[in-house]
Amino acid sequence: MLQDYQLLRIPGPTPIPPSIQQAMMKPMIGHRDLETKKLVNSIRPGLKKIFGAEEEVAIISGSGTSGLEAAVVNAVNPGDEVLVIITGSFGDRFAQICEAYQLHVHKLHYEWGKAFIPEEIASFLASHPSIKAVFATYCETSTGVLNPIKELAKTIKQNSDALIIIDGVSCIGAVETKLDEWGIDLCVTGSQKAFMLPPGLTFIAGSKRAWNIIEKSNNPRFYLDLRKYRKAIQDNSTPFTPALSLLYGLEQSLMLLEKEQLHHVYKRHHVMKEMTRAAFKAIDIPLLTIDEDASPTVTAIKPDNFEADVLREMLKKEFGLILAGGQSKLKGKIFRIGHMGYSSPADILQIISLVELGLHKIGKINELGIGVRAAQQVYIQEE
Ligand SMILES: Cc1ncc(COP(=O)(O)O)c(C=O)c1O
């Protein structure tokens, strides 16, 4: 069997473009040297553009969860009333972080696989006027749902002064995000998803209002004190030794995204979503989410007549194709295809074609090519 071959198609970490791999192999530099200042300086505008943020974006060496924790520890205080909207496993995690910091947490649960309804959040806020912040997940990676963040921000702004704090780990850079225009206060993402980088960096963008609150907050914090990151980046620096190789990678990633142009990046992700969904509909295997709720970065499939993990294991063994399974209460019930970052319609055709072969092998379909054809047709229509 061909050794070391793998097709990593999980919703992050994603494959890494060769030019980013190369950029990350540059010789090490001193983190207080001019070279690092130049590097940070070249990264700043691109990051702001991706978030649609006027204020500087904080770069922390740490995984996405450290960014979520930074948002909590900087923006709210123990005892504060907050609302966490839970549409899946990562909404749950946001609530756990809030609880760890002894906030008074209200939770609004939605069925896993469905998007939240902004009007319901607005009416919850109307009956709980002391809520200081609302935490929501943009793409709920565990279900493949893209939640209506723009609409949420709009309804909250009309009804409440609560801060709007968003986990955008699995979609920022792949879907439109306009932090200032939409009225989001804090938005967090991680390097290993749409940015096409290895894990290890988290980015946090904030509104003017959020930064004012953060500057005044007396909450104890040290490594995750966002004030330090903001002050440092204004001087093209970082408060602690950053993951320098990842910063070189980030510089290249932002250049690739800039060259492609963000609206084309969003369109590419949209097309990949549509192709994937059309393929599974054509081969008659149920999708977890309805079209309106589906994320452009990850698709969850919920088979009703075979074990999701049997197919996954077979695809891995036979073809080196790695798909993600279900998390938490969806464990064993779904499989998920990541189509974000360094991923193109050509990859979707390959994935669907292999999935069809896998389904044929486990005796679930007879005819090959139905899904691939449906995906190809979508591609042609979308072009
Ligand atoms: C939506 C979302 N939030 C948070 C995280 C956690 O990020 P990390 O594993 O980098 O800490 C992930 C990771 O998959 C995610 O998809």
Side-chain angles (χ1 to χ4, degrees):
M1 191 189 157
L2 178 59
Q3 297 295 293
D4 281 1
Y5 185 77
Q6 71 164 25
L7 296 164
L8 184 65
R9 293 298 167 200
I10 62 173
T14 67
I16 296 162
S19 68
I20 291 186
Q21 294 272 22
Q22 234 171 2
M24 292 188 304
M25 281 165 62
K26 285 187 186 163
M28 198 37 61
I29 49 175
H31 66 297
R32 299 290 173 228
D33 285 355
L34 188 60
E35 181 85 2
T36 300
K37 279 196 181 294
K38 283 188 192 156
L39 180 58
V40 174
N41 187 41
S42 80
I43 287 166
R44 289 166 61 182
L47 268 186
K48 285 169 35 173
K49 194 168 170 186
I50 285 180
F51 281 95
E54 203 184 299
E55 296 285 321
E56 294 297 335
V57 177
I59 306 171
I60 301 180
S61 298
S63 88
T65 308
S66 70
L68 301 180
E69 184 157 345
V72 172
V73 78
N74 283 273
V76 283
N77 296 296
D80 279 355
E81 255 187 80
V82 299
L83 169 64
V84 185
I85 311 170
I86 300 175
T87 55
S89 178
F90 290 101
D92 253 348
R93 182 173 301 182
F94 233 165
Q96 282 170 27
I97 298 171
C98 289
E99 281 165 349
Y101 282 96
Q102 295 171 354
L103 307 179
H104 175 172
V105 183
H106 297 272
K107 299 178 197 171
L108 255 186
H109 286 274
Y110 283 85
E111 189 183 325
W112 288 30
K114 295 214 165 112
F116 61 68
I117 300 167
E119 295 72 31
E120 291 180 1
I121 318 296
S123 62
F124 189 91
L125 288 177
S127 55
H128 296 80
S130 337
I131 286 180
K132 292 248 170 61
V134 177
F135 293 84
T137 318
Y138 199 169
C139 169
E140 178 47 77
T141 328
S142 64
T143 62
V145 161
L146 190 78
N147 280 305
I149 294 301
K150 181 181 177 184
E151 293 74 13
L152 176 76
K154 192 172 169 204
T155 6
I156 293 182
K157 290 276 162 225
Q158 285 165 355
N159 297 286
S160 147
D161 284 333
L163 288 172
I164 302 166
I165 303 181
I166 304 300
D167 171 352
V169 170
S170 61
C171 65
I172 302 299
V175 299
E176 186 178 54
T177 310
K178 294 190 182 297
L179 182 127
D180 291 319
E181 194 183 311
W182 296 354
I184 296 170
D185 289 293
L186 283 176
C187 185
V188 178
T189 196
S191 51
Q192 76 273 28
K193 313 270 184 181
F195 282 81
M196 311 176 280
L197 291 164
L201 293 177
T202 182
F203 314 123
I204 305 162
S207 65
K208 279 204 167 54
R209 178 168 84 131
W211 280 114
N212 281 338
I213 289 170
I214 290 166
E215 291 293 345
K216 288 189 200 126
S217 164
N218 291 322
N219 232 4
R221 67 248 206 232
F222 191 81
Y223 186 75
L224 294 180
D225 187 343
L226 286 174
R227 293 171 298 191
K228 294 189 172 86
Y229 290 87
R230 187 185 194 209
K231 190 160 176 277
I233 203 161
Q234 284 164 348
D235 186 33
N236 294 319
S237 181
T238 56
F240 311 106
T241 315
L244 284 156
S245 305
L246 289 176
L247 291 188
Y248 273 131
L250 175 61
E251 183 184 40
Q252 178 63 17
S253 154
L254 293 170
M255 208 181 69
L256 294 178
L257 294 171
E258 178 72 22
K259 272 195 180 164
E260 185 179 353
Q261 298 181 32
L262 284 182
H263 63 281
H264 288 308
V265 175
Y266 304 152
K267 170 80 182 180
R268 171 166 54 84
H269 285 86
H270 166 78
V271 172
M272 291 192 290
K273 168 189 80 168
E274 294 294 329
M275 289 172 74
T276 308
R277 295 181 69 79
F280 283 97
K281 284 178 193 169
I283 49 181
D284 202 20
I285 297 179
L287 296 158
L288 178 68
T289 65
I290 58 168
D291 292 346
E292 293 71 22
D293 293 350
S295 170
T297 55
V298 49
T299 299
I301 298 102
K302 192 169 186 289
D304 53 4
N305 65 353
F306 64 89
E307 297 284 325
D309 289 345
V310 169
L311 178 71
R312 279 200 318 121
E313 273 156 35
M314 207 270 280
L315 291 171
K316 186 173 178 192
K317 196 159 151 260
E318 285 277 322
F319 306 113
L321 173 61
I322 304 170
L323 303 181
Q327 290 172 291
S328 182
K329 62 170 105 161
L330 289 174
K331 201 171 173 49
K333 296 191 177 138
I334 60 166
F335 64 96
R336 293 173 298 147
I337 299 176
H339 34 79
M340 69 179 91
Y342 193 51
S343 185
S344 83
D347 297 309
I348 303 300
L349 294 178
Q350 184 185 40
I351 297 165
I352 300 299
S353 151
L354 296 178
V355 167
E356 284 191 282
L357 274 178
L359 289 168
H360 190 267
K361 269 183 167 286
I362 62 170
K364 290 299 159 195
I365 57 170
N366 294 320
E367 198 183 336
L368 293 172
I370 294 175
V372 170
R373 193 178 323 124
Q376 287 170 325
Q377 276 161 355
V378 167
Y379 181 80
I380 285 169
Q381 282 156 18
E382 290 283 346
E383 285 303 288

